[in-house]
Amino acid sequence: MTGLYYEEFEVGQTIEHEKRRTVSEADNQQFCDMTMNQQPLHLDAEFAAETQFGERLVNGLYTMSLAVGISVPDTTDGTIVANLSYDEVSHPKPVFHGDTLSVRSTVLDKRETSDGQRGIVTMKVDVFNQDDELVCEFERTTLSLKKEHVDAE
């Protein structure tokens, strides 16, 4: 377990996640297949070549899911009760096959639950490509365990 308990999050805290991932064509294809998303902009090279992008784009939901996965070990691995919401999602730049993505999380807010036994933490998650261009951003709100209540059990 490497995640943070509620008490360990601090508003304004920024976590630069060390892990990165280069997105492959296979990653994009498998994600589209698993989610039954057959958008030709993601899958059809000839179709995509005729668009303003000139090539296939990586599915934006894959980009967001990958960012959550990269951030979990440093934020919520083993210390989360539930993901409550994903809000304010935007994709300011496209992601292409071969792009290497890195992730940064910043704690925006935290508050105890009404029973005081857990806490709600909201983080802004920023995703960058290898050129340090912002390609995805969103807010992730989690219900986190409090260490004092885990240790007491």
Side-chain angles (χ1 to χ4, degrees), residues 1 12 22 33 53 58 73 75 78 83 96-97 101 105 108 110 112 128 137 144 152:
M1 185 168 57
T22 301
D33 289 346
F53 305 106
V58 171
T75 58
N83 282 307
F96 300 100
H97 301 150
L101 303 182
S105 298
L108 299 178
K110 67 181 261 190
E112 288 187 356
F128 301 93
E137 60 185 339
S144 297

Side-chain angles (χ1 to χ4, degrees), residues 14 58 74 108-109 113 118:
T14 297
V58 171
D74 299 325
L108 299 178
D109 187 44
T113 56
R118 294 176 297 255

Side-chain angles (χ1 to χ4, degrees), residues 21-34 42-43 56 58-59 62 96-98:
R21 173 73 184 255
T22 301
V23 180
S24 70
E25 179 180 357
D27 294 332
N28 189 48
Q29 179 73 50
Q30 287 176 335
F31 186 85
C32 287
D33 289 346
M34 287 187 303
H42 302 312
L43 301 171
R56 289 168 291 172
V58 171
N59 186 308
Y62 174 77
F96 300 100
H97 301 150

Side-chain angles (χ1 to χ4, degrees), residues 63-81:
T63 301
M64 185 176 154
S65 297
L66 178 61
V68 171
I70 288 172
S71 72
V72 162
D74 299 325
T75 58
T76 59
D77 184 24
T79 59
I80 190 173
V81 176

Side-chain angles (χ1 to χ4, degrees), residues 124-143:
K124 182 171 187 282
V125 180
D126 295 310
V127 186
F128 301 93
N129 66 16
Q130 65 281 352
D131 298 320
D132 207 32
E133 298 171 315
L134 184 67
V135 297
C136 182
E137 60 185 339
F138 56 93
E139 291 180 10
R140 175 181 177 219
T141 300
T142 64
L143 181 60

